[in-house]
Amino acid sequence: MATRHLARSIVLQSLYEWDFLEKKVDLVKIVERNLNEFAPGLNEPEFVWKMVDGIIKHLPEIDEIISKSALEWPFEQISLIDRNVLRIGVYELLFADKNEVPYKVAINEAIELAKNYGGINSGKFVNGVLGTVFKHLEEVKKQ
């Protein structure tokens, strides 16, 4: 598994656990445990921390974007896995360094996470929502 894909998997697993426990536990401890358990010797642990910090910093904004982009699904009804995959994807589309994570990579990685960890239709759902976000980004750029 590629280093950055593994890093995203660690972020997803950590966010999922944190969300499942209703954010009542220390996310830093969850990330540290998951890094040690599932990715000892990871080449770029700073990539994990940058993503986690960025997602948490922008969480209300990211969740609002997901809500507006997944119109047919109330936010609370989106599965925890899909919700956190979308958080990673939206974060990378909107806030990550585009030289480090191009748009296509952000979308493709999120789809792969959804396929690997989500349900049967998770990949399609994530693709549709992130496609909507990307389309909106392109429209804003043209203005």
Side-chain angles (χ1 to χ4, degrees), residues 65-66 68-71 85-86 89-90 93-94 103-111 122-140:
I65 290 165
I66 293 169
K68 288 179 178 178
S69 301
L71 294 174
V85 168
L86 287 168
V90 170
L93 282 173
L94 299 179
Y103 293 130
K104 275 188 173 183
V105 171
I107 293 170
N108 287 338
E109 283 292 323
I111 292 168
S122 291
K124 291 178 184 177
F125 176 68
V126 166
N127 186 30
V129 174
L130 293 181
T132 299
V133 173
F134 179 72
K135 191 170 161 183
H136 180 71
L137 273 174
E138 291 296 303
E139 289 169 3
V140 169

Side-chain angles (χ1 to χ4, degrees), residues 40-56:
L42 182 71
N43 293 344
E44 294 183 90
E46 63 279 354
F47 184 73
V48 170
W49 291 111
K50 188 187 325 184
M51 285 187 69
V52 169
D53 291 341
I55 291 167
I56 297 310

Side-chain angles (χ1 to χ4, degrees), residues 1 4-14 16 38 79-85 88 109-123 126:
M1 182 180 291
R4 293 226 167 153
H5 186 74
L6 177 58
R8 288 180 181 93
S9 295
I10 297 298
V11 172
L12 175 60
Q13 291 167 346
S14 301
Y16 175 86
F38 301 113
S79 76
L80 288 177
I81 284 291
D82 292 352
R83 184 184 315 162
N84 286 294
V85 168
I88 291 168
E109 283 292 323
I111 292 168
E112 287 305 310
L113 287 172
K115 286 179 181 178
N116 290 334
Y117 295 100
I120 265 179
N121 295 315
S122 291
V126 166

